[in-house]
Amino acid sequence: MDKPLPRPATAVSTDRAGGTDRARNPWWDNTRFLSATLIVILHTVGSIMAREDVLHSFHIASWAFRVPAFVMLAGVFSNAGPLGPRSLRTLLQSIVLPALAFSLLYSLEKYWLGNEFVVYVVQLPWTLWFLMSLFFWRLLLPLVVQLRHPLLVTTVIALAVGYIEEFGLEFSASRTLVYLPLFYLGWRIGQGFLNSWFTSRWSLFVAVAGVLASCVVGWLWHRDIKGNWLSMRHPYSVGDPLSLEWAWIIRLLVLASAAALVLCLLRLVPRRRLPLITTLGAGGFTIYLLHPLVILPIREQGWISRVNTPAEIAGLVLCAILLTMVLGSPPVRHLVRPLTRPSTGWLFAPTTPGSQQPERTPAHVPPVPGPAPTS
């Protein structure tokens, strides 16, 4: 197995509030900022995207660099060791409690905007499906890595689930299984898989060609690519162009292209510390959680739908970028840390020395390396 790639000791969902943490590797934070920015832009312009060709083509061209990139980054920072008490507490603190807190905030904001108050339990609103899936991915990972052919098995499951009506949006079941191969691939990357791809010279030209190809496809055929092909959250339909029997081929192509394009993105993102970008990228989780709460009232008031000129569209995109930068800033991350990383001391009984056995990583899982130079 290749040498593991450097990564910070914290999970992908953990932000450092304030200051610079030298234990973080800037490569991952640079990637998170780029992916988070693309997500915020698309959620900002989402209500007018269907009528604007430039926005719709941008949506198709950049799709793999948004959610699939976040899924693979989540895998990079995940631990495949046994889920002991300490790991379960971390999952609760970093995923479950933030998901519940922001789901409640979303409900309250919708109520404030004049909608009926709804408590979301089995189907979390808007972007929070990712946290529910992340919770299940981390529960499944210790089992998945023990399979003889994990990537093959998870891919077959991702393709087969499209034929099962019961796997839908509830508990994010469909997207959890569909994105599981990408999550596992991200974990393998964190363990050193494809390390030569990230360091060789020839891969740089291939990565540039891959990103350019995505842009060309998005520009020329964005109206021909269906949104449900990319979201992969619903069962296959008899209306699929390859018929219901062969609908899995489209999903396979989407998953393969997503994995390939994320690898291209990672190859092109600088590994060195970038002014401002690296610091803001450390707040990727905060950006992801907060931006819907800012965009929702603006969208519901109809301000975004009034945008219709090229200058106004450019201004809206610029506002989305500025929003990303503000939400990822250390002061904002510090301010909302009680929500993104809530204390669990009130929930769990204090541990005493010797009350817990140390959690050990299986022999076949390489240990997490220490921080590498940021050059």
Side-chain angles (χ1 to χ4, degrees):
M1 182 175 290
D2 296 330
K3 181 180 178 182
L5 294 171
R7 55 178 173 156
T10 56
V12 71
S13 59
T14 303
D15 293 335
R16 297 288 186 180
T20 299
D21 182 8
R22 293 184 180 180
R24 303 188 71 99
N25 186 281
W27 185 25
W28 306 119
D29 286 336
N30 295 339
T31 306
R32 279 201 288 183
F33 176 78
L34 177 59
S35 296
T37 301
L38 293 175
I39 289 174
V40 175
I41 291 175
L42 261 296
H43 285 163
T44 301
V45 304
S47 57
I48 62 174
M49 186 175 60
R51 73 169 194 242
E52 302 290 345
D53 283 342
V54 65
L55 295 179
H56 197 266
S57 62
F58 174 70
H59 160 62
I60 299 299
S62 65
W63 168 79
F65 309 134
R66 303 192 312 268
V67 172
F70 251 67
V71 172
M72 290 180 64
L73 284 174
V76 168
F77 289 86
S78 294
N79 186 358
L83 288 172
R86 185 169 51 196
S87 297
L88 292 175
R89 290 190 182 199
T90 300
L91 289 181
L92 184 70
Q93 183 182 36
S94 61
I95 299 177
V96 177
L97 292 182
L100 294 176
F102 279 88
S103 178
L104 178 59
L105 287 177
Y106 183 88
S107 298
L108 292 173
E109 186 171 70
K110 291 280 288 184
Y111 179 74
W112 174 66
L113 291 171
N115 297 277
E116 182 182 357
F117 182 78
V118 178
V119 177
Y120 299 92
V121 179
V122 299
Q123 184 178 330
L124 297 185
W126 208 345
T127 61
L128 294 180
W129 70 266
F130 184 86
L131 293 188
M132 184 171 286
S133 290
L134 180 57
F135 176 77
F136 290 117
W137 289 328
R138 290 189 173 177
L139 292 181
L140 290 171
L141 185 59
L143 173 63
V144 169
V145 299
Q146 297 182 58
L147 298 174
R148 187 178 296 273
H149 303 289
L151 189 58
L152 175 61
V153 172
T154 55
T155 302
V156 170
I157 292 174
L159 303 180
V161 74
Y163 291 103
I164 304 175
E165 292 285 345
E166 287 75 11
F167 283 89
L169 301 181
E170 290 79 9
F171 295 105
S172 193
S174 178
R175 283 184 283 201
T176 297
L177 295 179
V178 168
Y179 283 111
L180 186 57
L182 297 183
F183 182 79
Y184 170 76
L185 181 58
W187 177 80
R188 286 294 307 275
I189 290 173
Q191 305 303 308
F193 182 59
L194 298 176
N195 197 26
S196 59
W197 163 263
F198 301 112
T199 55
S200 60
R201 289 188 176 183
W202 63 267
S203 63
L204 181 62
F205 300 100
V206 177
V208 172
V211 173
L212 290 178
S214 179
C215 294
V216 171
V217 170
W219 179 254
L220 296 179
W221 295 289
H222 62 96
R223 293 297 180 184
D224 299 319
I225 299 176
K226 308 303 180 184
N228 62 311
W229 296 353
L230 303 183
S231 66
M232 299 182 292
R233 58 185 177 181
H234 297 294
Y236 301 136
S237 169
V238 293
D240 286 330
L242 297 183
S243 77
L244 188 62
E245 182 181 3
W246 301 102
W248 61 270
I249 295 179
I250 295 178
R251 178 167 294 183
L252 178 61
L253 293 175
V254 170
L255 285 172
S257 61
L261 288 172
V262 174
L263 290 176
C264 292
L265 174 70
L266 290 173
R267 180 61 182 88
L268 296 177
V269 171
R271 295 195 180 198
R272 67 182 183 278
R273 174 168 291 278
L274 300 177
L276 189 62
I277 299 299
T278 304
T279 300
L280 297 176
F285 186 61
T286 302
I287 296 170
Y288 188 86
L289 289 176
L290 286 180
H291 79 272
L293 298 178
V294 179
I295 295 174
L296 180 62
I298 299 176
R299 187 188 68 181
E300 292 297 307
Q301 295 298 322
W303 296 341
I304 295 178
S305 61
R306 300 171 189 170
V307 174
N308 52 24
T309 67
E312 291 173 343
I313 293 174
L316 185 62
V317 172
L318 179 60
C319 288
I321 296 174
L322 293 176
L323 175 62
T324 305
M325 299 175 70
V326 170
L327 298 182
S329 62
V332 173
R333 283 150 49 195
H334 179 77
L335 181 65
V336 301
R337 187 173 176 82
L339 295 175
T340 59
R341 188 79 175 180
S343 172
T344 57
W346 56 273
L347 184 60
F348 293 111
T351 58
T352 58
S355 62
Q356 295 184 22
Q357 295 294 326
E359 298 176 21
R360 295 177 294 179
T361 302
H364 66 280
V365 180
V368 176
T374 57
S375 57

